[in-house]
């Protein structure tokens, strides 16, 4: 199964995470505009990625006769629901420049939690899930 599109989207999301970390390290309040822009960009990239996974990839894999890959697809889809909810709350809270400048430490804390979870999930998909999908 060809999943290059999914892997490329992961690269793009990881690049945004990297830029956000750099901006935050240089100062949240000082870089509030850039951080808000990156949050909005990541929101659109993550939404597109999740939409395609949920509408195409997972349903197709869950119908496979291979019980192992069908089970993994279900687990990954279910796990992503909680992560997506947390990411949505993060975007809602921190998507505006004014919110970032008003509570830099709150942003750093939330950002660290959400981006770490998203990064960890992408790495798991890249190393555990996608190789099995590509082998089909």
């Amino acid at each position: 199964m060809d999943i290059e599109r999914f892997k490329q989207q992961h690269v793009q999301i990881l690049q945004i995470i990297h830029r956000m970390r750099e901006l935050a390290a240089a100062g949240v309040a000082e870089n509030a505009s850039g951080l808000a822009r990156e949050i909005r960009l990541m929101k659109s990239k993550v939404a597109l990625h999740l939409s395609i996974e949920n509408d195409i990839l997972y349903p197709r894999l869950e119908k496979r006769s291979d019980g192992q890959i069908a089970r993994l697809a279900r687990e990954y889809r279910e796990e992503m629901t909680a992560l997506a909810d947390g990411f949505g709350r993060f975007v809602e809270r921190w998507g505006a420049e004014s919110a970032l400048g008003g509570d830099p430490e709150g942003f750093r804390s939330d950002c660290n939690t959400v981006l770490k979870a998203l990064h960890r999930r992408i790495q798991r998909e890249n190393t555990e899930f996608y190789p099995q999908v590509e082998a089909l």
Side-chain angles (χ1 to χ4, degrees):
M1 180 176 277
D2 182 18
I3 56 169
E4 284 305 311
R5 170 176 42 175
F6 298 104
K7 290 166 47 176
Q8 183 56 38
Q9 289 169 344
H10 278 180
V11 169
Q12 293 168 351
I13 294 166
L14 291 172
Q15 289 170 341
I16 295 168
I17 290 172
H18 178 74
R19 289 192 303 267
M20 287 180 65
R21 285 183 173 152
E22 287 181 335
L23 288 168
V28 173
E30 298 83 358
N31 292 294
S33 176
L35 284 163
R37 183 179 57 251
E38 294 296 334
I39 289 169
R40 289 188 301 270
L41 178 59
M42 186 163 46
K43 176 185 175 187
S44 68
K45 296 286 183 187
V46 168
L48 174 65
H49 183 74
L50 292 179
S51 175
I52 295 170
E53 277 187 338
N54 287 332
D55 294 345
I56 298 170
L57 181 64
Y58 294 140
R60 188 178 297 168
L61 293 172
E62 288 174 19
K63 292 178 185 173
R64 304 274 311 188
S65 60
D66 179 344
Q68 168 71 10
I69 198 71
R71 182 186 57 76
L72 276 175
R74 269 190 308 281
E75 286 175 11
Y76 272 76
R77 181 177 42 80
E78 291 168 3
E79 177 186 288
M80 195 61 217
T81 300
L83 186 57
D85 289 345
F87 179 73
R89 287 188 301 276
F90 171 81
V91 170
E92 187 175 307
R93 180 172 182 194
W94 301 109
E97 187 175 334
S98 59
L100 294 161
D103 186 7
E105 289 311 309
F107 171 75
R108 284 183 202 278
S109 176
D110 285 355
C111 187
N112 188 46
T113 300
V114 170
L115 297 186
K116 193 179 283 187
L118 185 58
H119 186 273
R120 197 170 30 246
R121 169 58 185 251
I122 288 172
Q123 294 304 327
R124 280 188 49 231
E125 284 185 0
N126 286 344
T127 61
E128 297 173 10
F129 186 56
Y130 285 176
Q132 291 185 47
V133 173
E134 289 176 311
L136 297 176

